[in-house]
Amino acid sequence: MRLFVPSIVLAIAYAIASCSARVVQYPSHIRVKRNSYIVQLHPTAQARCVQAIPGIQVSRHFDMFHGVAVSIGDSVHPSQVANIEGVKAVWPNRVFSLQYQNKTTNGSGEYLHQATKVHQAHTELGLNGTGIKIGIIDTGVDYTHPDLGACWKTPNCPWQYGGSYASDSLSPNDPPMDCMGHGTHVSGIIASRGDRVKGVAPQATLGMYRVFTCSSESADTNDANVIAAMEAAFQDGHDIISMSLGSETAWEEDPVAVLASKFVDAGVVMVVANGNSGASGLLTASTPAVGRNVISVGSVDNWNITSAHAIFTTHTGQHSVLFLPSAAPAPPFIIANNTLVVSPTDNTGSALACTNITNDLSGKVALIQRGECTFSEKALNAQNAGAVAVVIYNNVDGMVDMAFDSNILIPGAFISMNDGRMVEESIRSGRTLVRALESDLITVPSPSGGHMSAFSSLGPTAELGLVPLISAPGGNILSTYPQSMGSYTSLSGTSMAAPYVAGAVALLKQARPDITVTHIRELLVTTARPIADSSTGLVSNPYSSGGGLINIYDAIRARARIDPPLLSINNTRREHPGPINSYIRPINAYWEIHTLAIQNTDSAKSMRISLAHIAANSLTMFDKNGTLSQQLLTNQTMPTWPTNTSPVPANTLPQVLGIRGNTLVRPGQSTNITVFIAPPLGLPESERWFYGGFINFKLTWDGESTAFSHVVPYAGFNGDMRKLSVLASAPIGLPFLANSELEPIENVSELTISADTDVYLAVSLDLPTRIFAASIVDATNTTRGYLPLGYSEYVGRTLLDEAPYYTIPVNRTVFHDTQMTHSSELSAGSYHVHLKVLRPFGDPALESDFQIWDSDTFKLGD
């Protein structure tokens, strides 16, 4: 398991009055820009009230957000900013990352457009995005690329708006040339005009707002840059703003999500990548995708993969094996000469190579199976044993993108389970060699084509909101790339899916110029197609796919509206179901009742309604003992019900029944349909299943034989979220007090913490929490204050691909307020750590709504 050690900076105490505004405290794993903050002002306040304070430098002004970005000196505490009259809230300037995965080479754009019916919108309806303005907030664009117009703000150029917002030292008027490639790739998905890559909306008018600097050592930006770019795009009057970036959280209470929601209220369509943390399971959607009424987008894998391949020479002959190379900074997987492949074992005797490898791998390529530890740990062990490269093969069907830590200096390749087993058998039977040349490319069908991408983040939000809203092609997508980097490449990520939806929305707005944001959201969701899961025989859970794969042709031609277009089930009750008690058993069951308004927008023909139900997979992150699933920890896949395509009892699937409502709707009229939804009652609540499905309305119009399908996705939790534990279950040893190596301290009762002793509280959160409070309590059971970094609000769950747990220093320093402004030093004596986290939907005023953990007693020395 990879350890995560955050930078620990102890706040400086100031004797000042209590703050009139809230200073947000992010937990230790959230990266922020040092001494940089986002300040929101009350509606009547002016920025000069902040500028007048010594030691505070205003770097950016925000209009729609109504605030400023500030830098403060070491002598100034953020609470002093919050205490300024007119300040509403203060946030640390958080770091954002791009939402993409890896690079291959792929060429199946036309098929993508047919699957989403973009091709029909182009050819049958003549739509191309003309007259629609799309703002893109990203890494910039190679505007000299011939497929992207080869121009910048000249007459008839697609690029009429944008600039550089990546750093305070750059002028917004500077052309946003892309040095990273991501923004150029995104731009091509939206509007490429070339023969090799065909954009979704090739005639749209574009703006690029660059928020990433070329000098950055990592693909990051921050809140201040993003807010400035968002406001510039809004001022330029874009109809649609596409954002393929995010920061880990499941809460919508952060400055970027708040601003995105404001833009939606003002009539701008906000399309945002949902995130790439699917390997960590549920509740992994990022911000601002979780913002209110934002169109959050999940990723579907491409139907074909064109990629590099390796030639394995075995005792049976030569075999061509497709691979996905490890992402940068690892070197490319190029092996010019035939090189011996071996299957090593570690010092525990395991072939999974999760500890030191005993074989001498000098000059050899290591073949290792996926599982039990990270890709980087396997590669590092192979590297330390002398391997010149590592090939990792899957332990389940399909292919996944693979990334290594920066200390991995050898190339890596990921191959399928079947190919890996073939090579493994060859090694046991005799000498096996491999070579891989940079120019060798092959095209094969993708075994996961048309399915949800494994990396795509899942909902729900922290308050059971349904995200993503919709899904689109995002896995292995060919698009434009800076000419200095090869002109074309394929990338994977929700970063690729979001611009696809942005382009599709442009076609919809071109066809329906007066359509509202609310109407766009409705049509995207209800005309989408639920995504089949061949492993279960059902469809993907809406917390994975939203409404399903975008179907823009049907959205444009739709003649019905359904409100609401989706149902987030977060208020379950135990009641008698009344008129459907013979259908839902047992009677004492959780159930929901909802009313859906269906409007016939055809002005001439009556519409008939028939109701059907499509059950989706149920998902959980937990084993039966309540601990985080070993399947999720080792294979990065979640337990799913059903487990296969065999028939299952009906009561283990969610159930929907329509009760009331007219089935004939006159032209221009509406009707209400009442539905009852019950969870999968046959699945134990103790296993914490998240269920869902689709209410499927088959609509036909007078004189027509073809029925049109409109779906309403629904999803919820099988039980009472308020009773769930937020803290990781005790059987896995968390929380615990850790030493400087972040190893558990065995005998806490014998521990004495002195000035030169580093001790940390290690905490893993299985669920997000509204309040996280870690304090220290003395021998008289009196709370003496919060630990440094010990109080945070709106904390996301621990992501397995980011950090196994959060760490908080334990020492003699305590803080006496949630703003971390008043501190003191504890005297020597006996103490223990008291941790409390608010359960889902809990009331902060009720102590009973908190989950509590207390450490053993330890001593603070002199």
Side-chain angles (χ1 to χ4, degrees):
M1 181 178 289
R2 180 170 62 89
L3 299 180
F4 176 81
V5 186
S7 298
I8 298 169
V9 181
L10 300 183
I12 301 173
Y14 290 88
I16 60 174
S18 297
C19 298
S20 59
R22 182 169 66 98
V23 178
V24 174
Q25 303 289 333
Y26 287 130
S28 62
H29 71 290
I30 298 293
R31 290 185 298 154
V32 298
K33 187 176 179 182
R34 187 174 182 272
N35 289 348
S36 182
Y37 293 86
I38 305 298
V39 180
Q40 187 177 29
L41 303 173
H42 286 289
T44 58
Q46 300 295 320
R48 59 177 176 267
C49 68
V50 177
Q51 292 173 305
I53 305 300
I56 300 175
Q57 181 179 356
V58 175
S59 56
R60 293 190 187 276
H61 293 259
F62 307 130
D63 296 328
M64 281 288 289
F65 181 71
H66 195 62
V68 292
V70 301
S71 298
I72 63 175
D74 290 335
S75 62
V76 179
H77 192 271
S79 60
Q80 292 176 289
V81 181
N83 204 44
I84 298 170
E85 185 177 356
V87 170
K88 183 178 181 180
V90 178
W91 287 271
N93 191 7
R94 184 186 39 185
V95 170
F96 277 75
S97 298
L98 296 169
Q99 302 288 14
Y100 76 116
Q101 293 287 301
N102 201 356
K103 182 164 71 172
T104 58
T105 303
N106 180 279
S108 55
E110 279 303 301
Y111 190 83
L112 297 182
H113 290 342
Q114 292 190 17
T116 59
K117 295 192 177 181
V118 165
H119 179 73
Q120 287 178 265
H122 287 170
T123 58
E124 295 182 22
L125 305 180
L127 300 172
N128 55 21
T130 297
I132 307 303
K133 297 165 62 176
I134 305 175
I136 307 166
I137 297 174
D138 216 288
T139 67
V141 61
D142 180 0
Y143 47 83
T144 68
H145 198 296
D147 289 5
L148 299 175
C151 57
W152 180 252
K153 294 186 179 180
T154 56
N156 301 317
C157 178
W159 300 101
Q160 293 295 324
Y161 303 95
S164 295
Y165 297 83
S167 167
D168 298 343
S169 62
L170 292 176
S171 168
N173 296 321
D174 291 341
M177 178 55 74
D178 186 8
C179 62
M180 296 175 64
H182 186 275
T184 302
H185 195 275
V186 163
S187 301
I189 293 171
I190 294 175
S192 174
R193 301 177 174 186
D195 294 330
R196 188 171 182 182
V197 175
K198 299 182 185 300
V200 180
Q203 296 301 317
T205 301
L206 307 173
M208 172 57 73
Y209 302 82
R210 179 182 168 193
V211 293
F212 292 82
T213 63
C214 292
S215 60
S216 175
E217 295 181 356
S218 59
D220 297 324
T221 186
N222 57 63
D223 280 318
N225 295 343
V226 173
I227 292 174
M230 290 173 68
E231 293 210 336
F234 179 82
Q235 295 295 335
D236 285 339
H238 288 289
D239 303 292
I240 305 160
I241 296 177
S242 178
M243 299 177 66
S244 291
L245 46 79
S247 181
E248 56 199 61
T249 181
W251 299 93
E252 62 181 56
E253 290 85 355
D254 80 86
V256 175
V258 168
L259 184 59
S261 296
K262 281 188 176 183
F263 287 179
V264 173
D265 293 341
V268 178
V269 182
M270 298 296 300
V271 183
V272 183
N274 201 50
N276 294 343
S277 295
S280 290
L282 293 155
L283 294 147
T284 53
S286 64
T287 184
V290 297
R292 178 179 48 82
N293 293 329
V294 165
I295 296 176
S296 52
V297 186
S299 173
V300 173
D301 277 352
N302 197 350
W303 288 261
N304 294 311
I305 301 176
T306 302
S307 185
H309 72 124
I311 301 296
F312 286 86
T313 302
T314 74
H315 67 288
T316 61
Q318 291 190 339
H319 301 268
S320 176
V321 174
L322 179 143
F323 67 84
L324 297 180
S326 54
F333 192 84
I334 300 172
I335 303 175
N337 301 310
N338 279 325
T339 303
L340 186 66
V341 186
V342 298
S343 180
T345 55
D346 60 29
N347 56 18
T348 68
S350 170
L352 294 176
C354 290
T355 60
N356 291 335
I357 291 173
T358 56
N359 309 66
D360 180 4
L361 301 183
S362 299
K364 303 170 186 176
V365 175
L367 177 73
I368 304 171
Q369 188 181 33
R370 178 186 183 187
E372 288 195 9
C373 59
T374 67
F375 294 137
S376 292
E377 288 172 308
K378 294 174 185 290
L380 181 60
N381 289 329
Q383 177 178 286
N384 290 342
V388 296
V390 60
V391 176
I392 297 177
Y393 68 96
N394 212 347
N395 52 6
V396 295
D397 289 334
M399 302 274 281
V400 299
D401 292 311
M402 180 173 68
F404 292 157
D405 293 338
S406 59
N407 60 341
I408 307 301
L409 305 178
I410 61 174
F414 190 89
I415 64 176
S416 71
M417 178 173 64
N418 289 338
D419 287 333
R421 288 175 175 174
M422 180 273 294
V423 177
E424 187 78 51
E425 175 61 29
S426 172
I427 293 172
R428 286 195 293 266
S429 301
R431 184 178 174 88
T432 301
L433 304 173
V434 65
R435 67 174 175 85
L437 303 180
E438 184 175 16
S439 59
D440 284 350
L441 300 175
I442 59 173
T443 299
V444 298
S446 170
S448 60
H451 292 75
M452 292 303 300
S453 302
F455 57 76
S456 189
S457 288
L458 294 89
T461 67
E463 295 173 314
L464 283 180
L466 204 165
V467 292
L469 189 78
I470 194 75
S471 294
N476 300 311
I477 306 301
L478 177 73
S479 187
T480 49
Y481 216 50
Q483 295 175 87
S484 61
M485 301 179 188
S487 296
Y488 302 94
T489 197
S490 179
L491 298 177
S492 293
T494 54
S495 274
M496 287 61 251
Y500 198 99
V501 171
V505 171
L507 303 182
L508 178 56
K509 285 185 68 68
Q510 181 187 3
R512 299 186 174 195
D514 297 326
I515 193 170
T516 65
V517 177
T518 298
H519 195 178
I520 289 170
R521 284 170 49 87
E522 288 177 11
L523 290 179
L524 291 182
V525 174
T526 60
T527 61
R529 292 181 295 170
I531 296 172
D533 185 341
S534 58
S535 67
T536 65
L538 300 183
V539 296
S540 293
N541 190 292
Y543 285 147
S544 173
S545 67
L549 181 65
I550 190 171
N551 178 359
I552 197 61
Y553 180 76
D554 286 4
I556 292 167
R557 299 173 67 244
R559 290 176 286 169
R561 293 188 64 176
I562 304 178
D563 182 36
L566 55 85
L567 300 174
S568 296
I569 300 176
N570 59 3
N571 189 27
T572 48
R573 303 163 292 187
R574 283 192 181 275
E575 295 185 8
H576 191 293
I580 55 171
N581 60 357
S582 62
Y583 182 76
I584 298 180
R585 298 291 186 183
I587 291 177
N588 184 30
Y590 287 110
W591 59 276
E592 281 267 331
I593 183 170
H594 289 275
T595 298
L596 301 168
I598 305 179
Q599 180 185 7
N600 177 13
T601 58
D602 193 303
S603 60
K605 297 181 179 180
S606 293
M607 177 182 73
R608 295 184 183 277
I609 303 171
S610 65
L611 179 75
H613 175 233
I614 304 172
N617 297 332
S618 291
L619 304 172
T620 185
M621 297 188 296
F622 303 94
D623 286 334
K624 293 181 179 180
N625 64 358
T627 63
L628 207 62
S629 166
Q630 284 301 307
Q631 179 179 328
L632 181 61
L633 291 171
T634 59
N635 297 336
Q636 291 78 55
T637 60
M638 281 183 294
T640 301
W641 184 263
T643 58
N644 53 47
T645 57
S646 300
V648 297
N651 70 347
T652 63
L653 302 177
Q655 304 171 30
V656 171
L657 185 66
I659 300 301
R660 295 182 295 272
N662 296 324
T663 59
L664 178 65
V665 186
R666 302 295 181 187
Q669 300 299 306
S670 299
T671 190
N672 291 334
I673 299 290
T674 300
V675 296
F676 287 82
I677 302 174
L681 306 173
L683 297 180
E685 288 186 17
S686 60
E687 295 180 7
R688 305 184 190 183
W689 290 98
F690 290 77
Y691 67 93
F694 299 82
I695 303 168
N696 188 13
F697 294 95
K698 295 290 187 179
L699 309 178
T700 56
W701 279 263
D702 287 348
E704 301 179 16
S705 59
T706 302
F708 293 85
S709 178
H710 286 246
V711 297
V712 174
Y714 68 88
F717 176 71
N718 184 31
D720 188 348
M721 286 282 287
R722 293 168 296 184
K723 296 179 181 178
L724 294 186
S725 296
V726 174
L727 296 173
S729 182
I732 66 171
L734 287 163
F736 61 77
L737 296 186
N739 59 25
S740 59
E741 300 298 322
L742 295 185
E743 300 168 336
I745 297 173
E746 297 295 337
N747 298 309
V748 173
S749 59
E750 299 177 6
L751 172 67
T752 298
I753 302 176
S754 59
D756 57 355
T757 305
D758 291 327
V759 175
Y760 304 94
L761 169 65
V763 183
S764 181
L765 302 182
D766 285 346
L767 299 172
T769 182
R770 168 72 173 76
I771 294 176
F772 177 102
S775 55
I776 196 163
V777 179
D778 65 19
T780 67
N781 211 32
T782 300
T783 300
R784 300 298 300 273
Y786 294 111
L787 298 175
L789 306 176
Y791 184 88
S792 299
E793 296 182 2
Y794 301 108
V795 181
R797 60 164 288 241
T798 307
L799 299 185
L800 305 179
D801 57 351
E802 294 289 341
Y805 38 75
Y806 306 152
T807 53
I808 299 163
V810 180
N811 50 46
R812 295 179 62 174
T813 303
V814 293
F815 290 83
H816 305 291
D817 62 322
T818 60
Q819 312 285 359
M820 300 285 154
T821 58
H822 304 292
S823 70
S824 64
E825 298 294 309
L826 296 175
S827 58
S830 296
Y831 299 89
H832 73 270
V833 171
H834 178 75
L835 172 65
K836 67 177 189 177
V837 291
L838 190 64
R839 297 181 190 271
F841 302 105
D843 183 349
L846 297 177
E847 192 70 14
S848 59
D849 282 358
F850 285 86
Q851 183 182 0
I852 306 296
W853 176 85
D854 289 284
S855 75
D856 289 340
T857 300
F858 54 85
K859 289 183 172 59
L860 291 179
D862 293 325

